[in-house]
Amino acid sequence: AGSWSRTAEPTSLAGLPRFLAESAGLGGHPWGADELPSGVGIAQFDPVIDRDDPKAREVVIGDWGLDERALERFTTPLTCAVSGRRKLLLEGDEELWVDLDDDPLELSPIAVSDAPAADQGELDRLRAALRHPGVLASRPWGDAEVELPAEELERLEERMRLLGYM
């Protein structure tokens, strides 16, 4: 049996590609030049429904019996970074701060402008984590068309013909 080494387990999915590459012993992989902040957990929720979709309103409010706030929460992107007992939430364009010692169920997040001055260093650290390129990926809405260069389109069509799809 050969020996292998691996990096520490990732604290978020953004660190997973590097972890897998190093666990498999792949050298020269592209993940890792820009490290994720150590000790910061990151999570994202990208809605799968659009707030303006009539079906969303029908299901969330009609079928489930929830209110407008619930519809807003189901259709608003959410990204958060947590370190120890502090959490920064980006809910749409709004930044919220949670002190998990005081609010462990996260029932009353506060605006970051109201966060205690003593938490400013941790707030800056969590903001930096949320600006990391591995965290900024998001899902585009709708059926946006992708325009491919003509040569790429020809190459894809040729492959599809070889596979019998065209």
Side-chain angles (χ1 to χ4, degrees):
S3 65
W4 57 279
S5 63
R6 64 181 185 150
T7 60
E9 292 184 17
T11 55
S12 77
L13 289 177
L16 190 58
R18 178 185 176 161
F19 173 75
L20 292 173
E22 291 184 1
S23 294
L26 298 177
H29 60 75
W31 305 284
D34 192 12
E35 289 289 325
L36 285 167
S38 177
V40 175
I42 300 167
Q44 286 181 294
F45 168 71
D46 292 321
V48 295
I49 54 174
D50 187 338
R51 180 176 300 143
D52 297 328
D53 183 341
K55 187 72 173 170
R57 177 172 298 283
E58 178 185 326
V59 170
V60 173
I61 295 175
D63 295 348
W64 295 349
L66 301 174
D67 59 13
E68 288 288 331
R69 177 66 180 138
L71 177 62
E72 182 180 335
R73 300 231 31 193
F74 277 111
T75 58
T76 300
L78 174 68
T79 304
C80 71
V82 65
S83 174
R85 302 300 295 169
R86 305 293 183 269
K87 187 176 207 176
L88 175 63
L89 300 160
L90 298 179
E91 191 172 318
D93 296 328
E94 187 177 10
E95 282 188 319
L96 301 170
W97 187 247
V98 180
D99 180 328
L100 296 168
D101 286 330
D102 295 338
D103 186 9
L105 297 178
E106 303 178 37
L107 298 175
S108 303
I110 61 172
V112 293
S113 59
D114 297 330
D119 287 346
Q120 189 61 49
E122 194 62 14
L123 174 61
D124 292 342
R125 183 170 112 97
L126 295 177
R127 272 187 178 143
L130 292 179
R131 291 186 186 117
H132 185 279
V135 176
L136 296 176
S138 63
R139 177 185 164 299
W141 276 111
D143 298 324
E145 290 186 30
V146 176
E147 295 205 24
L148 296 174
E151 56 275 356
E152 178 68 13
L153 186 57
E154 288 173 21
R155 194 167 59 97
L156 286 171
E157 287 176 353
E158 178 59 27
R159 285 184 181 176
M160 291 179 74
R161 275 192 222 54
L162 289 171
L163 294 169
Y165 293 112
M166 293 179 76

